[in-house]
Amino acid sequence: SGCVDHAVDMDNSSGNSFITCRISGNGGSGFYVATNSRNNLFDENLITGNDKGIWFTSGSSYNSAVSNRIRSNGAAVRLSGGDTNRIYRNDISSNTLFIEVSAVSSGNQIVKNNITSGSTGFSNGAGSSVTFTRNWFGTTDESAISAIYGDTASAFRPYRLGTVDTAEGADTTAPAAPTGVTLDASTP
């Protein structure tokens, strides 16, 4: 807490687990996951008040951020070259920017998160393909979601119709499809 740069700086570091940590008030990122850092787990952490909550850089891959509370950071999650990372079942709220993709990345999945109350939802300056589905945005109003999302208008579909249960072991079975509801995907 209170570091000038990153609270946890990982370079060539694999197979680590960070569980129930409190990471706050750092000038850089809470977790900085860099070159050749693979198969690390970030689980049930409170990550708050950092410039970036979790930052996956070039060469970081197959890492999982699950069931974290990522709040009041500049960017909740930044992907700048990280590949095949999974960000799921997190509570992401009150950040200036929820998800930022700032360098070419591939195979990353941002799914089943509660993403609410912030300035901007998603920035994909690199134009990378990112799976960004089944998230809850605090609303089912597609115009509001599209405004939060700020990228390709339909890329957030399908989205959740209610909050994701982010507790460990929860939300592992898909609910039944709603009846009597149709989606017109022809217009954003």
Side-chain angles (χ1 to χ4, degrees):
S1 164
C3 297
V4 173
D5 210 1
H6 314 295
V8 177
D9 189 338
M10 302 172 65
D11 196 357
N12 293 303
S13 184
S14 297
N16 299 291
S17 295
F18 298 90
I19 302 171
T20 65
C21 298
R22 295 179 64 114
I23 307 291
S24 65
N26 298 287
S29 30
F31 291 106
Y32 181 74
V33 188
T35 309
N36 295 320
S37 293
R38 296 183 169 95
N39 299 308
N40 295 293
L41 173 65
F42 307 92
D43 189 5
E44 295 189 10
N45 299 295
L46 174 60
I47 306 165
T48 182
N50 306 286
D51 183 49
K52 292 159 194 70
I54 303 174
W55 185 357
F56 295 104
T57 70
S58 181
S60 64
S61 58
Y62 302 101
N63 298 292
S64 294
V66 58
S67 299
N68 297 291
R69 290 175 293 151
I70 308 172
R71 300 181 176 151
S72 302
N73 299 284
V77 177
R78 182 176 192 191
L79 298 164
S80 57
D83 297 316
T84 322
N85 296 296
R86 291 191 67 211
I87 298 122
Y88 63 103
R89 283 195 344 252
N90 297 287
D91 280 317
I92 301 172
S93 64
S94 301
N95 298 280
T96 303
L97 180 63
F98 298 126
I99 309 294
E100 176 185 17
V101 182
S102 63
V104 175
S105 301
S106 66
N108 293 297
Q109 297 180 352
I110 304 164
V111 296
K112 293 186 177 179
N113 298 287
N114 295 318
I115 302 174
T116 57
S117 66
S119 301
T120 307
F122 182 80
S123 171
N124 190 354
S128 296
S129 174
V130 178
T131 301
F132 191 73
T133 59
R134 304 199 188 288
N135 295 293
W136 168 244
F137 296 97
T139 183
T140 56
D141 178 348
E142 287 204 16
S143 296
I145 295 171
S146 185
I148 293 167
Y149 186 71
D151 200 79
T152 306
S154 63
F156 57 84
R157 292 183 187 125
Y159 56 88
R160 298 293 294 232
L161 301 176
T163 58
V164 177
D165 188 351
T166 58
E168 198 62 39
D171 211 271
T172 56
T173 305
T179 58
V181 175
T182 58
L183 172 65
D184 180 3
S186 62
T187 59

